[in-house]
Amino acid sequence: MRIPAHAVCTAIRDDIVSGVFEPGGRLTEEALARRYGVSRVPVREALRTLESEGFVTTRRHAGACVAEPTEQEAADLLELRMLLEPLAAARAARRRTEAHLKVLRGLVRLGQERARRGQGEDLRSLGGWFHETLAQASGSPGLIALLTQMRYKVAWMYVVEAPVRPVESWAEHGAIVDAVARGDAERARALTVIHADRTAGAHRPRRPAVSISQPAVNMSSGRH
């Protein structure tokens, strides 16, 4: 069975973000094809996509390598996120569906409950789902794609510390959802600006740690 290039792309991107392939490391088609149990064709297509996303760069005489983001690029990423997330919230206030609201409210209830109980291990994933759903509610495919790519890059470049006051953080999420539910685009935007500004301080630069030498991964096993 032919493994689609987008599945290979996801697998390589996940391994870059998690540090399996460190910045500057070479990405040869042969080694990647062997690792994921695929031919070189989908690997070649995946590398082109990842280069367009900024995760991979092509060097003369070296070929494809994991990109090495600079401090300025990392700082720019957070600044762009602080511009795009409020835009998504404002659009969500105008375009959200009842299904989006149901999911957002459910995530807020779970987040507030976990925060009160001090179950911080669940809050990171819940927060990610919240912001992903809020972006989906914007109804803007281009904006959704940018924010999705941005979340991957933030996870790649930064370690995000848990909120110091998780109850307050989830209260902010709840207020954003209330504004979205009322169709108040400007309030949704303003509240998201405040929330994004506060959480930006929790980001710490991530240092590459893991070597490219890893055991083979069979893509047909359902890992990705």
Side-chain angles (χ1 to χ4, degrees), residues 20-218:
V20 171
F21 302 145
E22 64 183 22
R26 289 191 64 197
L27 297 169
T28 66
E29 292 178 11
E30 182 179 359
L32 293 172
R34 186 167 57 249
R35 173 174 172 77
Y36 302 113
V38 299
S39 73
R40 295 173 64 169
V41 174
V43 168
R44 190 175 303 123
E45 294 177 27
L47 290 175
R48 282 198 293 264
T49 298
L50 292 168
E51 184 169 16
S52 71
E53 293 178 355
F55 290 98
V56 170
T57 186
T58 301
R59 294 178 179 172
R60 191 175 182 182
H61 306 308
C65 300
V66 179
E68 299 180 87
T70 65
E71 290 183 10
Q72 185 59 57
E73 287 170 337
D76 287 347
L77 180 67
L78 287 186
E79 187 174 352
L80 285 170
R81 192 200 67 166
M82 292 177 67
L83 293 172
L84 294 180
E85 286 191 342
L87 174 61
R91 290 190 176 180
R94 302 186 185 102
R95 302 177 182 178
R96 90 294 184 282
T97 65
E98 288 303 314
H100 289 132
L101 283 179
K102 183 177 180 180
V103 174
L104 287 168
R105 284 168 170 157
L107 289 169
V108 168
R109 282 196 299 271
L110 281 173
Q112 290 176 337
E113 178 185 329
R114 300 290 195 277
R116 286 193 298 269
R117 293 182 179 179
Q119 295 175 306
E121 66 276 7
D122 295 334
L123 294 179
R124 191 184 306 275
S125 59
L126 286 173
W129 292 336
F130 175 87
H131 288 287
E132 183 176 343
T133 305
L134 190 63
Q136 292 288 335
S138 74
S140 301
L143 183 56
I144 293 167
L146 283 172
L147 285 170
T148 298
Q149 187 182 128
M150 196 164 293
R151 277 192 294 276
Y152 275 112
K153 285 191 172 181
V154 167
W156 177 38
M157 297 182 190
Y158 290 96
V159 174
V160 184
E161 298 173 352
V164 177
R165 299 181 179 86
V167 173
E168 291 182 15
S169 179
W170 279 93
E172 291 174 359
H173 285 146
I176 292 168
V177 174
D178 288 343
V180 168
R182 291 196 304 270
D184 191 338
E186 287 311 308
R187 180 161 177 78
R189 183 196 300 270
L191 289 171
T192 306
V193 167
I194 293 170
H195 179 71
D197 183 62
R198 187 184 59 75
T199 57
H203 292 69
R204 299 289 178 265
R206 182 186 296 278
R207 291 175 180 159
V210 186
S211 168
I212 191 170
S213 299
Q214 295 291 327
V217 176
N218 191 335

Side-chain angles (χ1 to χ4, degrees), residues 1-13:
M1 182 179 69
R2 185 178 184 274
I3 305 299
H6 69 79
V8 180
C9 183
T10 297
I12 299 173
R13 187 194 297 110

